[in-house]
Amino acid sequence: MMLYQKSDSSEEIMNMNMEYEQRKTFRKDRCSRQTGMNVILGVCVIVFMMTFVIFLHQQRKFSMLESWMNSHSSNLTSVKPDLQKAEVQEKSKVETLMTNLASSLSSIMSKQEESLQKLERQDASHTEMKNLMVGLSSAVSALTSKLNEAVGNQDQKQTETKKLLDSLSSSVTSLLSDQQNKQHNFESLSSSLRDVKSSVSDLTSSFSSLSSQLSVTMQNVSQTDVKSLMNSLSSAVSALTAQLNDAVKKQDQKQSETERSLESLKSSLQTDQQNKQHNFESLSSSLRDLKSSVSDLTSSVASLSSQLSVMLQQDVKSLMNSLNFTVSALTSTLNDAVKKQDQKQTETERSLDTLKSSVQSDQQNKQRDLESLKSSISDLKSSVSDLTSSVASLSSKQQTSEERVMNALKEMITNMCTKTTDVSVAKCKPGWILYKSSCFLFSSDELNWTEARDYCKAQDALLLKIQEDDKEWAFLNNHTIPTSYWVGLTDQTTGQWRWVDDTPYIMNKERWNPGQPDDWKAHGLGEEGEDCAQITYSGKLNDNHCSVKMKFICRVQF
Ligand SMILES: *[C@@H]1O[C@H](CO)[C@@H](O)[C@H](O)[C@H]1NC(C)=O
Ligand SMILES: *[C@@H]1O[C@H](CO)[C@@H](O)[C@H](O)[C@H]1NC(C)=O
Ligand SMILES: *[C@@H]1O[C@H](CO)[C@@H](O)[C@H](O)[C@H]1NC(C)=O
Ligand SMILES: *[C@@H]1O[C@H](CO)[C@@H](O)[C@H](O)[C@H]1NC(C)=O
Ligand SMILES: *[C@@H]1O[C@H](CO)[C@@H](O)[C@H](O)[C@H]1NC(C)=O
C-alpha cells in the first residue's frame, strides 16, 4: 500500500519506513532472547542427567560393596576383632562420604530447580543467567571431580580390604593345617608314651615271673654263677638307666629350647607363655621323678648284686620283690607323665586358638622339637621292649631247662653290655673320663679346697667321694701319681671327717700316708690346722690346709 502511494509526500513514506524498521528490530531482539533461553534449558537438562547418571553409578557401587562385605562378614567374625573394628570404621567412612555426596547432590538439584524456576519466570537478565550458568558449571565440575575422587578412593579402599581379607584367610587356613599337624604330633607322642608304659609293665610282669621261677631253680644253680649273672644283670639295668637318663636329658634340653622360643614370642603371648611354662615345669618335674625312680631301680639292683655274694634263697626272693616294686613305681611315674602329657595337649589346643595370628614360624621350631622328643621316646621305648622281650624269652626258656636260662641270661647280658658301651660313648662330657658308672674330671687348674668344691658343684658333680673299691682306688692312682689333688673330704665344720655330700667317712688308715691325718699347725698359713684331704703325689691321702691351691678331682655318678 505504501508502495502505491509513491506520489504522496516523501516525508510520510520516510516516517512509515522508520516505523517499519523499528518493529523489525524489536522482533529480532525477542527471537534471540528465546534462543538463549532454550540453550540454557538444554544445558541444565544435560547437567542434571549427568549428575543423575553419576549418582546412579555411585549407588550401584555402594550396593556392590555392601553385598561383598556381607559375603565376607562370616569370615571376618573368625578373625581378630581389631580387624573387624577397622572394617567397620572403613565402612562408616564410606557411608559418611556417600551421605555427604547425596546431600551435596540434592542441594545442587534444588539449586537447579531454583534456577529453572527463575528461567521460567524470565525475569532474570541475560547477564544474571550467564553468571548463574558459569557458577552452575563450576559447581558441576567441582562436583564431578569430587565424585571421581570419591569413586577412586572407594575402589582403592575396596581393593585394600580385599587384599587384607585374602591374606587373612590364607593365614587362617595355614594355621588350621599347622594346628592339625601339631595335634597329630601330640597324639603320636602320647601313644608312644603309652607304648613305653605298656612295655614297662610287660617288663614288670616278666621280672615277677622270673623271680618266682628263680626261687625254684636257684637251688640247682651254683652260687658263683648266680653272683656273676646278677652282676651282669645289674650292669644291664644300669645301661637301661643310662638310656633313660639320656632320654630325660634330651627332654630337658628340649624344654630349654622351647623356653627360648617362647621367650621370642613373649611380647604377644605373655599369658599363653605362662601357661606353657607351667606345663613344662610340671613335665620336667615328672621326668625328674622318673629319673629318681630309675636311680632307685639302679641302687636296688646294685644292692641286690652286692648282697648276692652272701646270698640265701630267701634273700634273692625278697630282693626280686623289691626290684618288682621299683619297676612298678617306674611304671606309675610313666603313667603320670602320660596323663600330664594328655592334659598338656588339650591345654595347648586351647591356647593355640588365641595364638593364631603370630605363631607360624615358632610353630615350625616346636614341631621340630616335638619330632626329636618323639624319636628319643621311641628310642627309649625300643630299648625297653628289647629288654622286655629278652626277659620274656629268658623266662620261657627257663620253664624248659635251667641251662637255657643261663644261656638266655648270658645272651641278654651281652646285648645289654653292647648297648652299655654304645651309650657310654656319649655319657661323659669332653675332658671327663668314664670309669664304671662314673665320669671323673682330673682338673688342670689349681684352686683352694672351697673353690674346688664349688667348681665341681657348678658342673653338677661332687668333689671326689672315694668308695671302698680297690679297683677304683687303683684307677684313681693311675691318674693322680705323681701329682697332688684335692678330694671331697673335710673335718672343717664338725671336727669329724665327712664327705662333701655330708655323709660320714669311715677311716681306712691303709689309704693314708703313715701318721696322717695329723692336723699339723706349724704351716704358717693361718691359725687353724689341716682340715681338708688330698691325694698326694705318692697316691696316699693326707690332710692339708684348705687355702692351698692345687688340682682337684670331680666326680659324677650315674
Ligand atoms: C571364607 O572362608 C571359607 C573357609 O573357611 C572359604 O571357603 C571361603 O572362600 C571364604 N570366603 C571368602 C570370600 O574368602
Ligand atoms: C610285683 O608287684 C605287683 C604289684 O606291685 C604284685 O601284684 C605282684 O604279685 C608282684 N610280683 C612278685 C613276684 O612279687
Ligand atoms: C634241682 O634240684 C632239685 C632238688 O633240689 C632236684 O630234685 C632236681 O633234680 C634238680 N634238677 C636238676 C636239673 O638238677
Ligand atoms: C692302672 O694302670 C695299669 C698299667 O698302666 C693297668 O694295667 C691297669 O689296668 C690300670 N688300672 C686301672 C684300674 O685302670
Ligand atoms: C679360697 O679362695 C677364695 C677366693 O680367693 C677365698 O674367698 C676363700 O676364703 C679361700 N678359701 C680358703 C679356705 O682359704
Side-chain angles (χ1 to χ4, degrees), residues 85-96:
K85 232 186 278 168
E87 234 218 337
V88 166
Q89 275 174 358
E90 209 86 341
K91 229 170 165 179
S92 70
K93 264 187 207 166
V94 172
E95 270 169 5
T96 51

Side-chain angles (χ1 to χ4, degrees), residues 108 183 187 211 223 259 325 338 403 429 458 465 528 546:
I108 295 283
Q183 194 157 343
E187 274 159 15
S211 80
Q223 268 200 11
E259 269 167 10
F325 175 75
V338 169
E403 242 174 278
K429 284 186 265 188
K465 186 178 166 185
E528 68 278 17
C546 300

